Amino acid sequence: AKERLTYQEISRFPAVRRDLSLVLDQQTSFSQVEAVARKYSNYLVKDINVFDIDEGESIGTGNKAYALSFVLQDPEKTLTDKLIDKTMNRLMKMFKKELGAVIRK
């Protein structure tokens, strides 16, 4: 069987990074967070990464905090602040609703 390489054009439009910190129940996994993000972020979220996990006393017993970075990009146009904010606000709302997350400021 011959391998096929898929070619994907690099977008001419810039990617934007937004960070968010969520306090969650200790049992909540990153894969659950990622699933909610993928479900509600439409096509704009290209990548989600955890860059810190805090399980200290400052966030309460039985909790942990994920510091997440979201990379957003539209293949068709440059993203506006309004669309970025709308996407991030929807994600925060759904993290609260589906995972009981508290957004850390």
Side-chain angles (χ1 to χ4, degrees), residues 52-68:
D52 192 27
I53 300 173
D54 181 4
E55 299 181 84
E57 291 178 19
S58 63
I59 57 164
T61 306
N63 292 329
K64 65 182 166 188
Y66 282 128
L68 305 167

Side-chain angles (χ1 to χ4, degrees), residues 41-95:
S41 68
N42 58 37
Y43 62 94
L44 296 178
V45 173
K46 299 296 177 207
D47 202 12
I48 306 163
N49 293 294
V50 177
F51 62 89
D52 192 27
I53 300 173
D54 181 4
E55 299 181 84
E57 291 178 19
S58 63
I59 57 164
T61 306
N63 292 329
K64 65 182 166 188
Y66 282 128
L68 305 167
S69 67
F70 295 83
V71 177
L72 296 88
Q73 188 175 38
D74 189 324
E76 311 271 317
K77 61 185 182 283
T78 299
L79 290 172
T80 62
D81 286 338
K82 185 177 180 180
L83 186 55
I84 294 165
D85 291 346
K86 183 178 176 183
T87 301
M88 293 307 296
N89 286 334
R90 178 173 51 247
L91 286 176
M92 287 187 276
K93 179 180 175 183
M94 297 321 293
F95 289 140

Side-chain angles (χ1 to χ4, degrees), residues 4 6 16 22-25 40 47 59 67 69-70 76 80 93 97-99 101-102 105:
R4 292 192 71 191
T6 28
V16 176
L22 304 175
V23 176
L24 300 155
D25 182 271
Y40 294 104
D47 202 12
I59 57 164
S69 67
F70 295 83
E76 311 271 317
T80 62
K93 179 180 175 183
K97 182 179 178 185
E98 301 232 342
L99 301 175
V102 174
K105 301 291 182 187

